[in-house]
Amino acid sequence: MATASDKKYKRTNTNGMQHQPLDVAIVGGGLVGSLLALHLGKKGHEVNLYEYREDIRTAELVIGRSINLALSARGRRALAEVGLEDALLNHGIPMSGRMLHDVNGNRKIVPYDANTNQCIYSVGRKHLNEVLLNAAEKYPNIHLHFNHKLVSANLDEGNLSMVDPVTKDVKNAKADLIVGCDGAYSAVRKEIVKRPRYDFSQTYIEHGYLELCIPPTADGEFAMPHNYLHIWPRGQFMMIALPNQDRTWTVTLFMPFTQFHSITDQDRLLDFFRQYFPDAIELIGRERLIKDFFKTKPQPLVMIKCRPYNVGAKALIIGDAAHAMVPFYGQGMNAGFEDCSVLTELFNQYGTDLTRILPEFSEKRWEDAHAICDLAMYNYIEMRDLVTKRSYLLRKKLDELLFWMMPNTWVPLYNSVSFSHMRYSKCIANRAWQDKILTRVLYGASFVSIVAVGGLCYRHVTMGHLERLSTSILSTLQLFKPSESV
């Protein structure tokens, strides 16, 4: 698949070592696939990007299936490595924390990072994909192919067979390396799963999601403060809203399918919103709420875990194809983008030796991928329920204080996941260490307090006093009991 551009551009690695460029076939032209094309194209490899849909840059936007994206440190670094970070940050809307809405319409701000004021960015999926594809199109060695649906593959030989969904024409291709970036329902992974002794699990949660929209105000402004992720936590379900460039809000309602199915007409819908989200009715608009809610069906949420990610030295899966996760930590895209960074680092280290690059990527990445899948699941419980608990807010304040006192030692879980490049598995281990330290300190402090109180007041304290004191101490210790979910 090499072209005349070989004569025009000297193919070198970033470490200065010259290597024969690879023919790379990337299946999936979404966010991760188009970014990986840029990473590998920048290194001089001949890249063919195959996408089963039409070109998103000319396609009509599909309403109801986007789930807005939150860009954080890991994704930013991967974009910076191909020179696109600034362009996306200029487009994105910074969100410095969560704004919680209670059932009475009261709002409370919970900052992500009260010490250094770091933020995440709300970015539009379509816009980001367009930016990546436009950048990829500028490389003479990156070739974009739309309406190419993978139907079969011989991964050991590097052979692909694709069909045009419109014309039904069959097209074949061969590559030195096949990379599946084709999402949670990956056709490339489907081929890998057929192999013996392959570890794979697929988990659908009982909750689904449905998208709504808050329009701008009459004077064209945001209807709510726009530098926050807005959350309506309601225990077993929740609603969130992220700001868009056009002053609208993408609102996503997450709740059990049984709850969705119980809302069968507009009266039940309005009664439900009056009970749980009364302030949202005016924000969305009564008629628009009814129209948008019944326009589409709630969509499922799935978590995928598998390993290894490679087939010998010929094929690899990354992004959602390797580790699809529920969207509650805002790390799906960021983890996929980090895959691109990790893979590029291995290319820098080993040149084009795929016998070393692909197995090491699998071994290096699977544990972190499983960790962020678990964290994303846990964060749903936090967002829909724990954020309103006194224990959660107390622990967050304590974490902020210790982070301020020891910024290089005590990094809160959210900060380590969203604002650092610490391995996801290390983030969990770090949190477990913090829980252990706090539990020991509190047990020690409680023991000293009991001894002190006993020494001062033993003549005047009754058994009832002691029972109430012990109950209060145990309640305090429960605030810092390590979470089984994490």
Side-chain angles (χ1 to χ4, degrees):
M1 295 181 186
T3 67
S5 61
D6 293 343
K7 301 177 182 178
K8 195 173 180 181
Y9 295 90
K10 189 176 183 180
R11 308 299 179 87
T12 64
N13 251 322
T14 53
N15 60 10
M17 296 175 62
Q18 295 186 18
H19 296 277
Q20 181 67 25
L22 299 171
D23 283 343
V24 182
I26 297 177
V27 180
L31 301 177
V32 174
S34 51
L35 178 60
L36 182 63
L38 285 167
H39 274 258
L40 297 182
K42 186 180 178 182
K43 298 182 73 60
H45 300 295
E46 199 73 20
V47 179
N48 282 274
L49 182 67
Y50 299 102
E51 168 57 43
Y52 85 90
R53 299 168 299 182
E54 62 182 311
D55 190 339
I56 193 173
R57 295 171 293 181
T58 58
E60 183 179 350
L61 179 63
V62 177
I63 303 297
R65 304 190 67 172
S66 65
I67 301 187
N68 267 44
L69 303 169
L71 179 64
S72 55
R74 300 169 199 269
R76 289 176 59 178
R77 181 173 71 173
L79 290 168
E81 289 166 348
V82 293
L84 292 177
E85 180 188 19
D86 290 341
L88 268 303
L89 292 188
N90 290 335
H91 166 82
I93 299 174
M95 299 183 294
S96 59
R98 298 164 173 168
M99 183 169 285
L100 309 181
H101 297 240
D102 68 18
V103 291
N104 296 317
N106 301 313
R107 301 173 181 178
K108 176 191 293 183
I109 295 172
V110 181
Y112 289 130
D113 182 355
N115 294 321
T116 58
N117 298 316
Q118 297 189 82
C119 62
I120 58 178
Y121 289 80
S122 174
V123 295
R125 181 185 298 272
K126 187 174 189 290
H127 175 81
L128 176 52
N129 210 162
E130 289 174 346
V131 169
L132 293 170
L133 290 172
N134 288 337
E137 208 167 41
K138 295 177 182 178
Y139 282 78
N141 54 314
I142 299 179
H143 314 283
L144 308 181
H145 309 274
F146 299 100
N147 294 313
H148 280 61
K149 181 180 181 180
L150 180 68
V151 290
S152 65
N154 184 332
L155 300 180
D156 294 301
E157 299 296 328
N159 295 323
L160 300 169
S161 180
M162 291 159 288
V163 65
D164 186 317
V166 179
T167 66
K168 307 303 180 184
D169 292 339
V170 176
K171 301 178 183 180
N172 298 311
K174 186 175 178 64
D176 300 317
L177 171 62
I178 297 171
V179 186
C181 305
D182 48 341
Y185 305 101
S186 168
V188 177
R189 190 188 63 238
K190 184 178 179 181
E191 295 292 330
I192 299 177
V193 169
K194 297 175 183 177
R195 307 174 77 87
R197 299 176 59 204
Y198 189 74
D199 288 337
F200 171 79
S201 70
Q202 173 178 283
T203 305
Y204 283 95
I205 66 173
E206 64 181 13
H207 297 67
Y209 74 92
L210 187 145
E211 286 192 355
L212 306 167
C213 179
I214 294 176
T217 60
D219 56 355
E221 293 302 320
F222 283 108
M224 302 182 292
H226 64 279
N227 291 125
Y228 300 96
L229 168 65
H230 289 252
I231 307 178
W232 289 257
R234 298 297 182 262
Q236 291 302 309
F237 51 89
M238 70 172 183
M239 192 165 68
I240 67 171
L242 280 82
N244 299 311
Q245 283 287 342
D246 61 0
R247 305 297 194 271
T248 63
W249 294 82
T250 298
V251 181
T252 311
L253 175 60
F254 298 96
M255 65 182 181
F257 279 102
T258 53
Q259 191 83 47
F260 276 118
H261 295 156
S262 69
I263 302 175
T264 55
D265 55 51
Q266 66 178 46
D267 290 334
R268 292 188 180 186
L269 172 64
L270 293 173
D271 287 343
F272 174 76
F273 265 75
R274 289 189 190 105
Q275 182 177 356
Y276 294 107
F277 310 112
D279 60 331
I281 298 176
E282 182 178 354
L283 291 167
I284 297 171
R286 182 180 180 278
E287 297 305 317
R288 181 164 192 159
L289 171 60
I290 295 169
K291 177 183 175 183
D292 289 352
F293 187 90
F294 292 109
K295 181 169 57 178
T296 59
K297 294 182 179 180
Q299 301 297 315
L301 295 166
V302 66
M303 177 176 70
I304 301 289
K305 291 181 179 179
C306 60
R307 62 179 292 211
Y309 299 143
N310 68 299
V311 175
K314 275 291 187 178
L316 184 72
I317 52 174
I318 69 172
D320 281 356
H323 45 72
M325 64 195 73
V326 293
F328 305 117
Y329 226 117
Q331 287 297 303
M333 174 189 68
N334 291 287
F337 281 9
E338 190 174 56
D339 286 345
C340 298
S341 295
V342 172
L343 190 58
T344 298
E345 289 171 3
L346 293 172
F347 270 95
N348 291 342
Q349 185 175 353
Y350 298 122
T352 56
D353 187 355
L354 298 179
T355 62
R356 302 181 72 179
I357 293 171
L358 303 195
E360 187 164 326
F361 177 88
S362 282
E363 190 57 34
K364 186 175 184 178
R365 199 64 179 145
W366 76 265
E367 189 175 3
D368 292 325
H370 288 195
I372 189 56
C373 284
D374 292 338
L375 279 171
M377 196 72 78
Y378 160 76
N379 211 46
Y380 184 33
I381 301 171
E382 178 177 303
M383 292 175 71
R384 77 182 193 220
D385 188 24
L386 300 184
V387 290
T388 62
K389 305 288 186 184
R390 185 175 300 176
S391 57
Y392 169 84
L393 297 172
L394 178 59
R395 173 60 188 265
K396 185 169 179 61
K397 290 293 184 183
L398 182 56
D399 276 334
E400 289 172 355
L401 174 62
L402 293 172
F403 184 39
W404 175 76
M405 295 171 63
M406 302 176 288
N408 296 321
T409 303
W410 195 279
V411 182
L413 178 61
Y414 190 89
N415 293 60
S416 65
V417 171
S418 298
F419 302 132
S420 84
H421 303 289
M422 183 186 296
R423 293 184 60 173
Y424 289 124
S425 55
K426 180 69 185 299
C427 294
I428 291 181
N430 186 57
R431 173 65 173 220
W433 170 80
Q434 292 172 352
D435 288 338
K436 191 174 182 180
I437 293 295
L438 286 178
T439 301
R440 287 179 175 177
V441 168
L442 284 168
Y443 270 116
S446 299
F447 178 77
V448 171
S449 298
I450 291 171
V451 171
V453 170
L456 292 173
C457 308
Y458 73 95
R459 291 183 178 178
H460 307 285
V461 175
T462 66
M463 286 300 296
H465 290 134
L466 288 174
E467 288 177 1
R468 287 193 291 274
L469 177 61
S470 63
T471 300
S472 298
I473 291 170
L474 288 173
S475 297
T476 302
L477 290 174
Q478 285 286 52
L479 302 183
F480 302 99
K481 184 179 179 181
S483 170
E484 294 178 1
S485 301
V486 178

PDB file of all heavy atoms in Angstrom, residues 231-254:
ATOM      1  N   ILE A 231     -25.527  17.885  37.997  1.00  0.00           N
ATOM      2  CA  ILE A 231     -26.004  16.550  38.370  1.00  0.00           C
ATOM      3  C   ILE A 231     -27.248  16.673  39.237  1.00  0.00           C
ATOM      4  O   ILE A 231     -27.292  17.482  40.167  1.00  0.00           O
ATOM      5  CB  ILE A 231     -24.937  15.750  39.154  1.00  0.00           C
ATOM      6  CG1 ILE A 231     -23.606  15.705  38.396  1.00  0.00           C
ATOM      7  CG2 ILE A 231     -25.430  14.335  39.436  1.00  0.00           C
ATOM      8  CD1 ILE A 231     -22.511  14.959  39.146  1.00  0.00           C
ATOM      9  N   TRP A 232     -28.260  15.856  38.907  1.00  0.00           N
ATOM     10  CA  TRP A 232     -29.457  15.706  39.726  1.00  0.00           C
ATOM     11  C   TRP A 232     -29.392  14.294  40.336  1.00  0.00           C
ATOM     12  O   TRP A 232     -29.940  13.338  39.762  1.00  0.00           O
ATOM     13  CB  TRP A 232     -30.706  15.858  38.874  1.00  0.00           C
ATOM     14  CG  TRP A 232     -31.008  17.232  38.378  1.00  0.00           C
ATOM     15  CD1 TRP A 232     -31.952  18.093  38.862  1.00  0.00           C
ATOM     16  CD2 TRP A 232     -30.410  17.911  37.247  1.00  0.00           C
ATOM     17  NE1 TRP A 232     -31.978  19.255  38.131  1.00  0.00           N
ATOM     18  CE2 TRP A 232     -31.044  19.178  37.127  1.00  0.00           C
ATOM     19  CE3 TRP A 232     -29.411  17.588  36.335  1.00  0.00           C
ATOM     20  CZ2 TRP A 232     -30.695  20.094  36.139  1.00  0.00           C
ATOM     21  CZ3 TRP A 232     -29.052  18.493  35.360  1.00  0.00           C
ATOM     22  CH2 TRP A 232     -29.694  19.733  35.265  1.00  0.00           C
ATOM     23  N   PRO A 233     -28.717  14.114  41.480  1.00  0.00           N
ATOM     24  CA  PRO A 233     -28.578  12.768  42.061  1.00  0.00           C
ATOM     25  C   PRO A 233     -29.835  12.358  42.806  1.00  0.00           C
ATOM     26  O   PRO A 233     -30.347  13.107  43.636  1.00  0.00           O
ATOM     27  CB  PRO A 233     -27.393  12.929  43.026  1.00  0.00           C
ATOM     28  CG  PRO A 233     -27.400  14.377  43.410  1.00  0.00           C
ATOM     29  CD  PRO A 233     -28.003  15.145  42.258  1.00  0.00           C
ATOM     30  N   ARG A 234     -30.346  11.175  42.516  1.00  0.00           N
ATOM     31  CA  ARG A 234     -31.588  10.729  43.142  1.00  0.00           C
ATOM     32  C   ARG A 234     -31.502   9.292  43.663  1.00  0.00           C
ATOM     33  O   ARG A 234     -32.476   8.545  43.615  1.00  0.00           O
ATOM     34  CB  ARG A 234     -32.748  10.858  42.142  1.00  0.00           C
ATOM     35  CG  ARG A 234     -33.023  12.284  41.668  1.00  0.00           C
ATOM     36  CD  ARG A 234     -33.451  13.203  42.799  1.00  0.00           C
ATOM     37  NE  ARG A 234     -33.766  14.546  42.321  1.00  0.00           N
ATOM     38  CZ  ARG A 234     -32.923  15.580  42.366  1.00  0.00           C
ATOM     39  NH1 ARG A 234     -31.691  15.418  42.857  1.00  0.00           N
ATOM     40  NH2 ARG A 234     -33.287  16.768  41.913  1.00  0.00           N
ATOM     41  N   GLY A 235     -30.366   8.895  44.148  1.00  0.00           N
ATOM     42  CA  GLY A 235     -30.238   7.576  44.764  1.00  0.00           C
ATOM     43  C   GLY A 235     -30.056   6.464  43.767  1.00  0.00           C
ATOM     44  O   GLY A 235     -28.937   6.073  43.447  1.00  0.00           O
ATOM     45  N   GLN A 236     -31.156   5.924  43.233  1.00  0.00           N
ATOM     46  CA  GLN A 236     -31.078   4.818  42.281  1.00  0.00           C
ATOM     47  C   GLN A 236     -30.991   5.277  40.830  1.00  0.00           C
ATOM     48  O   GLN A 236     -30.833   4.452  39.928  1.00  0.00           O
ATOM     49  CB  GLN A 236     -32.301   3.900  42.459  1.00  0.00           C
ATOM     50  CG  GLN A 236     -32.279   3.129  43.765  1.00  0.00           C
ATOM     51  CD  GLN A 236     -31.036   2.262  43.904  1.00  0.00           C
ATOM     52  OE1 GLN A 236     -30.697   1.489  43.015  1.00  0.00           O
ATOM     53  NE2 GLN A 236     -30.337   2.412  45.022  1.00  0.00           N
ATOM     54  N   PHE A 237     -31.089   6.571  40.598  1.00  0.00           N
ATOM     55  CA  PHE A 237     -30.961   7.101  39.240  1.00  0.00           C
ATOM     56  C   PHE A 237     -30.490   8.541  39.326  1.00  0.00           C
ATOM     57  O   PHE A 237     -30.384   9.124  40.413  1.00  0.00           O
ATOM     58  CB  PHE A 237     -32.278   6.987  38.464  1.00  0.00           C
ATOM     59  CG  PHE A 237     -33.472   7.549  39.186  1.00  0.00           C
ATOM     60  CD1 PHE A 237     -33.828   8.880  39.043  1.00  0.00           C
ATOM     61  CD2 PHE A 237     -34.249   6.739  40.005  1.00  0.00           C
ATOM     62  CE1 PHE A 237     -34.924   9.401  39.701  1.00  0.00           C
ATOM     63  CE2 PHE A 237     -35.357   7.242  40.672  1.00  0.00           C
ATOM     64  CZ  PHE A 237     -35.691   8.573  40.518  1.00  0.00           C
ATOM     65  N   MET A 238     -30.167   9.128  38.173  1.00  0.00           N
ATOM     66  CA  MET A 238     -29.677  10.504  38.168  1.00  0.00           C
ATOM     67  C   MET A 238     -29.830  11.088  36.771  1.00  0.00           C
ATOM     68  O   MET A 238     -30.056  10.380  35.777  1.00  0.00           O
ATOM     69  CB  MET A 238     -28.204  10.567  38.581  1.00  0.00           C
ATOM     70  CG  MET A 238     -27.239  10.001  37.559  1.00  0.00           C
ATOM     71  SD  MET A 238     -25.509  10.314  38.005  1.00  0.00           S
ATOM     72  CE  MET A 238     -24.672   9.625  36.575  1.00  0.00           C
ATOM     73  N   MET A 239     -29.657  12.389  36.715  1.00  0.00           N
ATOM     74  CA  MET A 239     -29.633  13.104  35.447  1.00  0.00           C
ATOM     75  C   MET A 239     -28.421  14.022  35.471  1.00  0.00           C
ATOM     76  O   MET A 239     -28.075  14.593  36.515  1.00  0.00           O
ATOM     77  CB  MET A 239     -30.922  13.911  35.275  1.00  0.00           C
ATOM     78  CG  MET A 239     -31.147  14.459  33.873  1.00  0.00           C
ATOM     79  SD  MET A 239     -32.863  15.023  33.629  1.00  0.00           S
ATOM     80  CE  MET A 239     -32.924  16.458  34.713  1.00  0.00           C
ATOM     81  N   ILE A 240     -27.742  14.149  34.331  1.00  0.00           N
ATOM     82  CA  ILE A 240     -26.598  15.048  34.240  1.00  0.00           C
ATOM     83  C   ILE A 240     -26.779  15.962  33.032  1.00  0.00           C
ATOM     84  O   ILE A 240     -27.562  15.661  32.125  1.00  0.00           O
ATOM     85  CB  ILE A 240     -25.262  14.280  34.126  1.00  0.00           C
ATOM     86  CG1 ILE A 240     -25.175  13.529  32.783  1.00  0.00           C
ATOM     87  CG2 ILE A 240     -25.079  13.322  35.294  1.00  0.00           C
ATOM     88  CD1 ILE A 240     -23.801  12.931  32.507  1.00  0.00           C
ATOM     89  N   ALA A 241     -26.048  17.075  33.025  1.00  0.00           N
ATOM     90  CA  ALA A 241     -26.102  18.004  31.891  1.00  0.00           C
ATOM     91  C   ALA A 241     -24.719  18.579  31.649  1.00  0.00           C
ATOM     92  O   ALA A 241     -24.045  19.016  32.585  1.00  0.00           O
ATOM     93  CB  ALA A 241     -27.107  19.123  32.155  1.00  0.00           C
ATOM     94  N   LEU A 242     -24.294  18.548  30.380  1.00  0.00           N
ATOM     95  CA  LEU A 242     -23.014  19.128  29.970  1.00  0.00           C
ATOM     96  C   LEU A 242     -23.253  20.239  28.967  1.00  0.00           C
ATOM     97  O   LEU A 242     -24.128  20.119  28.080  1.00  0.00           O
ATOM     98  CB  LEU A 242     -22.095  18.075  29.350  1.00  0.00           C
ATOM     99  CG  LEU A 242     -21.331  17.174  30.323  1.00  0.00           C
ATOM    100  CD1 LEU A 242     -22.225  16.029  30.797  1.00  0.00           C
ATOM    101  CD2 LEU A 242     -20.061  16.611  29.699  1.00  0.00           C
ATOM    102  N   PRO A 243     -22.485  21.338  29.052  1.00  0.00           N
ATOM    103  CA  PRO A 243     -22.700  22.490  28.172  1.00  0.00           C
ATOM    104  C   PRO A 243     -22.145  22.270  26.773  1.00  0.00           C
ATOM    105  O   PRO A 243     -21.138  21.588  26.579  1.00  0.00           O
ATOM    106  CB  PRO A 243     -21.930  23.605  28.893  1.00  0.00           C
ATOM    107  CG  PRO A 243     -20.812  22.884  29.607  1.00  0.00           C
ATOM    108  CD  PRO A 243     -21.399  21.567  30.031  1.00  0.00           C
ATOM    109  N   ASN A 244     -22.805  22.868  25.800  1.00  0.00           N
ATOM    110  CA  ASN A 244     -22.368  22.830  24.405  1.00  0.00           C
ATOM    111  C   ASN A 244     -22.021  24.236  23.917  1.00  0.00           C
ATOM    112  O   ASN A 244     -22.459  25.236  24.489  1.00  0.00           O
ATOM    113  CB  ASN A 244     -23.475  22.241  23.521  1.00  0.00           C
ATOM    114  CG  ASN A 244     -23.826  20.825  23.902  1.00  0.00           C
ATOM    115  OD1 ASN A 244     -22.953  19.978  24.062  1.00  0.00           O
ATOM    116  ND2 ASN A 244     -25.125  20.556  24.068  1.00  0.00           N
ATOM    117  N   GLN A 245     -21.261  24.286  22.831  1.00  0.00           N
ATOM    118  CA  GLN A 245     -20.821  25.561  22.283  1.00  0.00           C
ATOM    119  C   GLN A 245     -21.982  26.457  21.850  1.00  0.00           C
ATOM    120  O   GLN A 245     -21.871  27.675  21.882  1.00  0.00           O
ATOM    121  CB  GLN A 245     -19.882  25.322  21.088  1.00  0.00           C
ATOM    122  CG  GLN A 245     -18.474  24.907  21.467  1.00  0.00           C
ATOM    123  CD  GLN A 245     -17.680  26.068  22.043  1.00  0.00           C
ATOM    124  OE1 GLN A 245     -18.038  27.233  21.873  1.00  0.00           O
ATOM    125  NE2 GLN A 245     -16.602  25.755  22.744  1.00  0.00           N
ATOM    126  N   ASP A 246     -23.093  25.853  21.435  1.00  0.00           N
ATOM    127  CA  ASP A 246     -24.230  26.653  20.944  1.00  0.00           C
ATOM    128  C   ASP A 246     -25.159  27.103  22.067  1.00  0.00           C
ATOM    129  O   ASP A 246     -26.289  27.511  21.820  1.00  0.00           O
ATOM    130  CB  ASP A 246     -25.015  25.867  19.889  1.00  0.00           C
ATOM    131  CG  ASP A 246     -25.596  24.563  20.434  1.00  0.00           C
ATOM    132  OD1 ASP A 246     -25.390  24.272  21.629  1.00  0.00           O
ATOM    133  OD2 ASP A 246     -26.242  23.835  19.662  1.00  0.00           O
ATOM    134  N   ARG A 247     -24.673  26.990  23.324  1.00  0.00           N
ATOM    135  CA  ARG A 247     -25.409  27.419  24.523  1.00  0.00           C
ATOM    136  C   ARG A 247     -26.532  26.460  24.925  1.00  0.00           C
ATOM    137  O   ARG A 247     -27.336  26.764  25.796  1.00  0.00           O
ATOM    138  CB  ARG A 247     -25.998  28.837  24.359  1.00  0.00           C
ATOM    139  CG  ARG A 247     -24.987  29.925  23.986  1.00  0.00           C
ATOM    140  CD  ARG A 247     -23.953  30.109  25.080  1.00  0.00           C
ATOM    141  NE  ARG A 247     -23.182  31.325  24.919  1.00  0.00           N
ATOM    142  CZ  ARG A 247     -22.048  31.432  24.214  1.00  0.00           C
ATOM    143  NH1 ARG A 247     -21.560  30.363  23.591  1.00  0.00           N
ATOM    144  NH2 ARG A 247     -21.400  32.585  24.150  1.00  0.00           N
ATOM    145  N   THR A 248     -26.609  25.312  24.253  1.00  0.00           N
ATOM    146  CA  THR A 248     -27.542  24.290  24.688  1.00  0.00           C
ATOM    147  C   THR A 248     -26.853  23.398  25.723  1.00  0.00           C
ATOM    148  O   THR A 248     -25.646  23.525  25.967  1.00  0.00           O
ATOM    149  CB  THR A 248     -28.011  23.407  23.512  1.00  0.00           C
ATOM    150  OG1 THR A 248     -26.871  22.709  22.969  1.00  0.00           O
ATOM    151  CG2 THR A 248     -28.678  24.247  22.431  1.00  0.00           C
ATOM    152  N   TRP A 249     -27.629  22.524  26.314  1.00  0.00           N
ATOM    153  CA  TRP A 249     -27.095  21.525  27.243  1.00  0.00           C
ATOM    154  C   TRP A 249     -27.521  20.143  26.788  1.00  0.00           C
ATOM    155  O   TRP A 249     -28.694  19.929  26.475  1.00  0.00           O
ATOM    156  CB  TRP A 249     -27.642  21.749  28.662  1.00  0.00           C
ATOM    157  CG  TRP A 249     -27.189  23.010  29.306  1.00  0.00           C
ATOM    158  CD1 TRP A 249     -27.716  24.262  29.120  1.00  0.00           C
ATOM    159  CD2 TRP A 249     -26.127  23.164  30.247  1.00  0.00           C
ATOM    160  NE1 TRP A 249     -27.048  25.173  29.890  1.00  0.00           N
ATOM    161  CE2 TRP A 249     -26.063  24.531  30.596  1.00  0.00           C
ATOM    162  CE3 TRP A 249     -25.230  22.271  30.846  1.00  0.00           C
ATOM    163  CZ2 TRP A 249     -25.136  25.025  31.499  1.00  0.00           C
ATOM    164  CZ3 TRP A 249     -24.303  22.763  31.752  1.00  0.00           C
ATOM    165  CH2 TRP A 249     -24.256  24.129  32.068  1.00  0.00           C
ATOM    166  N   THR A 250     -26.572  19.227  26.730  1.00  0.00           N
ATOM    167  CA  THR A 250     -26.920  17.832  26.493  1.00  0.00           C
ATOM    168  C   THR A 250     -27.232  17.201  27.847  1.00  0.00           C
ATOM    169  O   THR A 250     -26.365  17.114  28.719  1.00  0.00           O
ATOM    170  CB  THR A 250     -25.779  17.066  25.805  1.00  0.00           C
ATOM    171  OG1 THR A 250     -25.524  17.647  24.528  1.00  0.00           O
ATOM    172  CG2 THR A 250     -26.160  15.592  25.618  1.00  0.00           C
ATOM    173  N   VAL A 251     -28.480  16.803  28.021  1.00  0.00           N
ATOM    174  CA  VAL A 251     -28.961  16.239  29.289  1.00  0.00           C
ATOM    175  C   VAL A 251     -29.100  14.729  29.112  1.00  0.00           C
ATOM    176  O   VAL A 251     -29.691  14.267  28.133  1.00  0.00           O
ATOM    177  CB  VAL A 251     -30.320  16.854  29.677  1.00  0.00           C
ATOM    178  CG1 VAL A 251     -30.809  16.279  30.995  1.00  0.00           C
ATOM    179  CG2 VAL A 251     -30.228  18.367  29.736  1.00  0.00           C
ATOM    180  N   THR A 252     -28.547  13.973  30.048  1.00  0.00           N
ATOM    181  CA  THR A 252     -28.633  12.521  29.972  1.00  0.00           C
ATOM    182  C   THR A 252     -29.266  11.982  31.241  1.00  0.00           C
ATOM    183  O   THR A 252     -28.788  12.251  32.342  1.00  0.00           O
ATOM    184  CB  THR A 252     -27.245  11.883  29.772  1.00  0.00           C
ATOM    185  OG1 THR A 252     -26.549  12.548  28.708  1.00  0.00           O
ATOM    186  CG2 THR A 252     -27.379  10.407  29.441  1.00  0.00           C
ATOM    187  N   LEU A 253     -30.344  11.244  31.061  1.00  0.00           N
ATOM    188  CA  LEU A 253     -31.048  10.622  32.183  1.00  0.00           C
ATOM    189  C   LEU A 253     -30.625   9.161  32.265  1.00  0.00           C
ATOM    190  O   LEU A 253     -30.790   8.394  31.309  1.00  0.00           O
ATOM    191  CB  LEU A 253     -32.565  10.724  31.962  1.00  0.00           C
ATOM    192  CG  LEU A 253     -33.482  10.021  32.971  1.00  0.00           C
ATOM    193  CD1 LEU A 253     -33.268  10.577  34.384  1.00  0.00           C
ATOM    194  CD2 LEU A 253     -34.948  10.159  32.546  1.00  0.00           C
ATOM    195  N   PHE A 254     -30.041   8.788  33.396  1.00  0.00           N
ATOM    196  CA  PHE A 254     -29.624   7.413  33.648  1.00  0.00           C
ATOM    197  C   PHE A 254     -30.536   6.817  34.715  1.00  0.00           C
ATOM    198  O   PHE A 254     -30.634   7.364  35.819  1.00  0.00           O
ATOM    199  CB  PHE A 254     -28.177   7.361  34.162  1.00  0.00           C
ATOM    200  CG  PHE A 254     -27.147   7.893  33.206  1.00  0.00           C
ATOM    201  CD1 PHE A 254     -26.701   9.206  33.317  1.00  0.00           C
ATOM    202  CD2 PHE A 254     -26.604   7.090  32.213  1.00  0.00           C
ATOM    203  CE1 PHE A 254     -25.741   9.705  32.458  1.00  0.00           C
ATOM    204  CE2 PHE A 254     -25.637   7.579  31.352  1.00  0.00           C
ATOM    205  CZ  PHE A 254     -25.202   8.890  31.464  1.00  0.00           C
TER     206      PHE A 254
END
